[in-house]
Amino acid sequence: MLKLEPRPQASKFWSLASPLLALAVTVIIGVILFIALGKDPVKGLQVFFWEPIKSPYALGELMVKATPLLIIALGLAVCFRSNVWNIGAEGQFIIGAVMAGGVALLADKDAGRWIVIAIVLAGILGGMAWAGLTALLRDKFNANEILVSLMLVYVADMVLSFLVYGPWKDPGGYNFPQTKTFDAVTQIPKLMQGSRLTIGIVIALVGAAGLWVFLFRTRAGFAQQVGGLAPAAARYAGFSSRKALWIALLTSGGAAGLAGALEVAGPLGQLTPYVPAGYGFAAIIVAFVGRLHPVGMVFSAILMSMFYIGGELAQSRLGLPKSLTGVFQGLLLFTLLACDTLMAYRIRFTAPLALKGAN
């Protein structure tokens, strides 16, 4: 029989191999799922893992999806490494999009390209302010940041709905709940013609490099991580837990707000009720699959964006529900949690007691 035996110390090998094993198990379960649904598993895997990379345009769309996931995950990594559980990045993403959209709506024929900077800054400040509510309630009233940040997601969604159904609704939009299309001057610059890919991907990659420097090459980053791993040691060393809380949540909120600004002033080009795309929740999986490391999160963001695109293609080409995206995301998370057991335990085979007695 199989038995889990504790390791004397965590396995470095499985800390890297566990996400790969989790992906392999997810693919195997996906094959079984396609067969159970009466679909060709080869075609099913093809729409998830080949179609998103088969052409330059497809790669551009892959990067469009990966950009907000990576930016939000980078901010969440600061929180999680600090032992601050921000589950409300989706709400911070929405408020960032709302604030950025509000600035974009102010543009007129006299506006210059400088307004893009104002739009991005508005998104960042909006996300920081929304995360700041969680930090304030945690700091002053010891409220649980998991519950507060999560509940604020629904408040943010209502704020967006109120605006697009009410004062910001496009009067020439045939009564659809949406703002007018933002003026061309407000659009985030694109990297290439014929693609929706913007400079957001460059910002995301620069952010990944900046986070690596912050976490592993600065005293402030070291203080954040010590506070998360050993709060008592952090207090003994003179590191402020309150400061770590505020830095973590404001950084995470600002990153989510930045992602929201880049999304509405980039690929979307207007505010609609469909701005919330689940990026804030999916980025939690991106962060943990990437081991809260900037390099790992780059690859996990690409993988998660493949799931998004694959879910859309599975709906249009295979007649499967779009919710299949969430199924694959959930499978990846749960298989990762299961495979992570191998970091602290090794599997041993032991003979049953009956056989031992016979011997």
Side-chain angles (χ1 to χ4, degrees), residues 108-132:
D108 55 26
K109 61 181 181 179
D110 297 322
R113 287 296 284 169
W114 60 266
I115 198 171
V116 172
I117 299 175
I119 289 170
V120 170
L121 289 177
I124 294 172
L125 293 176
M128 291 177 70
W130 208 246

Side-chain angles (χ1 to χ4, degrees), residues 92-111:
Q92 295 141 29
F93 173 87
I94 295 170
I95 294 299
V98 167
M99 295 293 290
V103 175
L105 289 173
L106 296 176
D108 55 26
K109 61 181 181 179
D110 297 322

Side-chain angles (χ1 to χ4, degrees), residues 106-311:
L106 296 176
D108 55 26
K109 61 181 181 179
D110 297 322
R113 287 296 284 169
W114 60 266
I115 198 171
V116 172
I117 299 175
I119 289 170
V120 170
L121 289 177
I124 294 172
L125 293 176
M128 291 177 70
W130 208 246
L133 293 175
T134 301
L136 179 65
L137 292 172
R138 163 69 187 275
D139 184 22
K140 297 298 183 182
F141 304 101
N142 200 30
N144 186 296
E145 74 271 18
I146 296 176
L147 295 178
V148 173
S149 61
L150 182 59
M151 291 301 101
L152 283 174
V153 173
Y154 301 99
V155 178
D157 200 17
M158 292 299 101
V159 170
L160 173 64
S161 295
F162 167 74
L163 292 172
V164 297
Y165 279 94
W168 287 3
K169 180 192 285 188
D170 183 7
Y174 303 99
N175 207 35
F176 285 103
Q178 61 190 28
T179 65
K180 70 172 186 177
T181 302
F182 300 149
D183 292 343
V185 72
T186 68
Q187 296 294 301
I188 303 296
K190 291 182 171 59
L191 280 184
M192 60 188 74
Q193 293 295 328
S195 172
R196 298 194 304 156
L197 185 62
T198 69
I199 62 170
I201 187 62
V202 178
I203 295 174
L205 293 175
V206 170
L211 180 62
W212 183 87
V213 172
F214 172 74
L215 289 177
F216 306 119
R217 291 294 183 272
T218 67
R219 182 180 183 275
F222 176 73
Q224 286 291 129
Q225 297 181 80
V226 170
L229 293 172
R235 287 192 297 270
Y236 181 78
F239 299 146
S240 170
S241 59
R242 289 187 62 199
K243 182 179 179 181
L245 169 70
W246 281 93
I247 289 176
L249 280 168
L250 292 181
T251 300
S252 179
L258 170 62
L262 293 174
E263 191 72 5
V264 296
L268 297 182
Q270 63 181 158
L271 286 173
T272 75
Y274 307 107
V275 167
Y279 290 141
F281 296 119
I284 298 174
I285 304 176
V286 170
F288 281 105
V289 172
R291 286 288 181 258
L292 304 182
H293 191 284
V295 176
M297 287 185 287
V298 170
F299 292 103
S300 60
I302 294 173
L303 174 63
M304 197 61 60
S305 64
M306 293 175 80
F307 286 168
Y308 268 101
I309 294 175

Side-chain angles (χ1 to χ4, degrees), residues 10-41:
S11 169
K12 292 184 178 180
F13 170 79
W14 280 111
S15 68
L16 299 175
S18 177
L20 300 177
L21 179 60
L23 176 60
V25 174
T26 300
V27 170
I28 293 171
I29 297 175
V31 169
I32 297 172
L33 183 61
F34 285 127
I35 294 174
L37 293 172
K39 303 297 181 180
D40 183 350

